[in-house]
Amino acid sequence: MAKLELVIAGHKRSSDRLATSLYPSISDTEQSFQFESNEQTISVLDHAGVEGFTKRLTDRVAGLSTAILATDDNHGLDQLCLQHAFLLTLCGINELIIVVTGLKDTHKAEEAFSTIKSKSALLGWPKVTAVAIGSRGLEPPAWFDGPELTATLRHIQLADFPIDVPLRMPIRRTESDKSLYSGHILTGLIEMGDTLLFSPSNQTARVVALNAIDENESLNSAEAGREVTITLDSDLEFGNAELASHVDNPPLETDVFRARIAGFSSEVLNVDTGYSFYRFGHVIPVSIQSVERVTDDIGLDNIFDATIRASEIIALDPFEICKPTGSLILNDGENFIGAGQINMRGYADQRDLITVRSTNVVRVEHSVTDKHRAKRNGHRGGVLWLTGLSGAGKSTIAIEVEKRLFAAGYQAYVLDGDNVRHGLNSNLGFSPEDRAENIRRVGEVGALFAGAGFITITAFISPYRSDRERARTALPDGFHEVYVKADLEACEKRDPKGLYKKARAGEIPEFTGISAPYEVPKDPELTIDTSDSSVDECAQKLIEHIEHHFVLHDK
Ligand code: ADP
């Protein structure tokens, strides 16, 4: 049976006042009290005050339904209260009781309370009750005619664990027995015999035994809110932070995502700085790739929209799909610096893009080797991956360089975006997933061309770092990223295909540089700035790079 739990957030002084009245006889460590009327036991998690609150919540993202936000007429709904309230929303709280303590019988106190009450109505929380408490015990001030605190608490209910939603359970390996996997089911339902998918490792296995964690009781099924141990029909190899789901409703897999973050201090989040993403007891190193401040109208003035990059693929959900796996808590190594809601606007689920190298397919060993080809051609095969904004000059340079290489007797070929979409990729559209798949295939084809000995020049905007890095993994040796650089203004002025004009008129949604991001290469092998050089000079620069890295000079 799940416990009825109540979180207390807000200001420590107010929560201490509540504590002495609500559960005076209970020790600090076991803050649990009982209501006589309907005999429900409520465990109180008193986390008021900044540090403790955030730390506790990093591991408590599901299963709480009601919270008290404690404040007084002095603090009102200040920044700290709003931050706590924001975190509580991340935890899926659906009922918030704002308790204002220490109110006098004066008109001034009554006015302060009514300001808090009307501000709380603007916040858009699902259910808010405001309760006024006087200076002695739980007695309300004389002017208050609202509900009493104890009466309000009597009606709180068990957290509503959603079971008709996708299964999500972060996995803990059991140290003593590696064949056992345990975890807290955050959402959904597990049944005996289910085939589970583990992400991000992308392995599946069937549940052959299901037990409640602290009891030996074996279960036929277990729903959200329960802690269970499962035995699987095969041994799986994976690291930390693995998430179990069903095969047909998995979380996303990605190394880049976006989040709306409430910052806990006045500092702006720093781009390219390392942070820790707290997730179900694990720490995932991340960095902020870009950030912009958002002004909102409820008084939280440190709201940011950030693009966040992890060093490896992680499994997550957009917040609106699943709150526990769609929440973000960030720490800078010392302090918690913000919390947010994950979204994937403009970014692709990379699950299907991770090339599974089938173990049943054995590569054919060519008797003609790379070396033979290089010797005959006078150069190695490779990929020159041209990336940059539309109109930056990728195609123009690629075509010019192909012409010159061909004239010099080299094997060279251009893979161009539009041409590939006419054939190989004609089944792909422009959704984030299709764009990423488009680039994945070009990366693979480029690697094949390179294997055939060709100097392959690709001309694709390829705005996302993850996609370009994946293309690099298709050809670890011989892949050169070339940043064709021109600022948006220059590209828009050139507008060779009239696309910017259309995008500005709103006719092309998600147009790179205007309504979708371009992620500038971090360490490209070559940068060609086309804004103040001629086509001839730019082509020459690429030719020189190719001659240096691909052409054999001791034929
Ligand atoms: P992309 O392939 O990057 O979308 P295009 O090659 O189709 O860009 O278009 C680039 C446009 O910019 C062409 O009209 C080209 O003539 C012009 N341009 C001007 N200066 C340069 C330069 N230095 N390098 C490449 N293109 C240039």
Side-chain angles (χ1 to χ4, degrees), residues 386-399 416 418 459-461 484-486 490-491 494-497 499-500 528-539:
L386 274 50
T387 169
L389 291 173
S390 174
K394 301 178 295 298
S395 301
T396 307
I397 294 171
I399 297 297
D416 183 86
D418 291 339
F460 293 81
I461 298 173
V484 180
K485 184 178 170 192
C491 294
R494 293 176 186 165
D495 206 4
K497 297 175 197 148
L499 296 177
Y500 283 96
I528 301 178
D529 193 334
T530 68
S531 46
D532 51 10
S533 316
S534 66
V535 173
D536 181 54
E537 287 164 332
C538 294

Side-chain angles (χ1 to χ4, degrees), residues 268-381:
V268 180
L269 300 171
N270 291 321
V271 171
D272 283 339
T273 306
Y275 293 104
S276 300
F277 172 8
Y278 276 71
R279 215 168 143 76
F280 315 128
H282 302 296
V283 173
I284 299 171
V286 296
S287 65
I288 308 265
Q289 181 171 297
S290 66
V291 64
E292 59 213 60
R293 197 184 279 267
V294 181
T295 42
D296 76 345
D297 46 10
I298 59 163
L300 256 175
D301 60 358
N302 290 321
I303 301 266
F304 305 98
D305 275 341
T307 304
I308 298 166
R309 185 163 285 279
S311 51
E312 57 197 67
I313 297 276
I314 54 180
L316 47 77
D317 287 287
F319 184 73
E320 75 262 21
I321 303 288
C322 183
K323 284 180 185 161
T325 48
S327 305
L328 171 81
I329 292 183
L330 281 185
N331 178 298
D332 68 0
E334 276 175 40
N335 301 308
F336 286 91
I337 57 155
Q341 305 181 351
I342 292 171
N343 70 73
M344 289 291 287
R345 238 174 302 126
Y347 282 90
D349 177 3
Q350 297 178 30
R351 179 180 291 280
D352 294 332
L353 301 166
I354 299 160
T355 312
V356 181
R357 312 273 173 200
S358 171
T359 45
N360 294 325
V361 179
V362 181
R363 276 177 189 267
V364 172
E365 283 299 327
H366 292 265
S367 58
V368 181
T369 65
D370 291 349
K371 271 202 175 131
H372 293 137
R373 287 177 217 278
K375 191 143 188 266
R376 167 162 318 163
N377 294 334
H379 60 81
R380 273 187 285 277

Side-chain angles (χ1 to χ4, degrees), residues 136-384:
R136 260 178 304 110
L138 296 177
E139 286 278 301
W143 45 261
F144 184 63
D145 57 2
E148 277 188 22
L149 183 59
T150 41
T152 307
L153 291 179
R154 221 164 269 141
H155 290 114
I156 71 171
Q157 287 166 356
L158 263 183
D160 183 16
F161 278 106
I163 54 168
D164 53 346
V165 293
L167 167 70
R168 297 291 183 264
M169 178 170 90
I171 298 292
R172 289 194 300 269
R173 286 307 272 277
T174 310
E175 273 310 310
S176 52
D177 184 349
K178 293 280 185 202
S179 68
L180 291 180
Y181 304 80
S182 61
H184 180 172
I185 307 178
L186 300 175
T187 56
L189 180 79
I190 298 183
E191 288 181 290
M192 265 292 287
D194 278 358
T195 298
L196 300 183
L197 170 67
F198 296 84
S199 304
S201 72
N202 251 325
Q203 302 169 85
T204 55
R206 224 166 56 84
V207 178
V208 292
L210 185 62
N211 289 282
I213 199 152
D214 292 330
E215 306 134 44
N216 275 338
E217 184 194 356
S218 82
L219 307 166
N220 281 325
S221 69
E223 72 291 336
R226 288 202 82 137
E227 285 208 59
V228 294
T229 298
I230 50 180
T231 313
L232 299 171
D233 66 351
S234 56
D235 256 354
L236 303 181
E237 279 298 321
F238 48 65
N240 288 330
E242 200 76 6
L243 201 56
S245 71
H246 286 120
V247 177
D248 57 1
N249 219 332
L252 303 174
E253 290 191 351
T254 185
D255 59 358
V256 57
F257 55 92
R258 294 179 55 77
R260 175 153 290 192
I261 298 172
F264 290 171
S265 72
S266 55
E267 275 177 39
V268 180
L269 300 171
N270 291 321
V271 171
D272 283 339
T273 306
Y275 293 104
S276 300
F277 172 8
Y278 276 71
R279 215 168 143 76
F280 315 128
H282 302 296
V283 173
I284 299 171
V286 296
S287 65
I288 308 265
Q289 181 171 297
S290 66
V291 64
E292 59 213 60
R293 197 184 279 267
V294 181
T295 42
D296 76 345
D297 46 10
I298 59 163
L300 256 175
D301 60 358
N302 290 321
I303 301 266
F304 305 98
D305 275 341
T307 304
I308 298 166
R309 185 163 285 279
S311 51
E312 57 197 67
I313 297 276
I314 54 180
L316 47 77
D317 287 287
F319 184 73
E320 75 262 21
I321 303 288
C322 183
K323 284 180 185 161
T325 48
S327 305
L328 171 81
I329 292 183
L330 281 185
N331 178 298
D332 68 0
E334 276 175 40
N335 301 308
F336 286 91
I337 57 155
Q341 305 181 351
I342 292 171
N343 70 73
M344 289 291 287
R345 238 174 302 126
Y347 282 90
D349 177 3
Q350 297 178 30
R351 179 180 291 280
D352 294 332
L353 301 166
I354 299 160
T355 312
V356 181
R357 312 273 173 200
S358 171
T359 45
N360 294 325
V361 179
V362 181
R363 276 177 189 267
V364 172
E365 283 299 327
H366 292 265
S367 58
V368 181
T369 65
D370 291 349
K371 271 202 175 131
H372 293 137
R373 287 177 217 278
K375 191 143 188 266
R376 167 162 318 163
N377 294 334
H379 60 81
R380 273 187 285 277
V383 169
L384 283 308

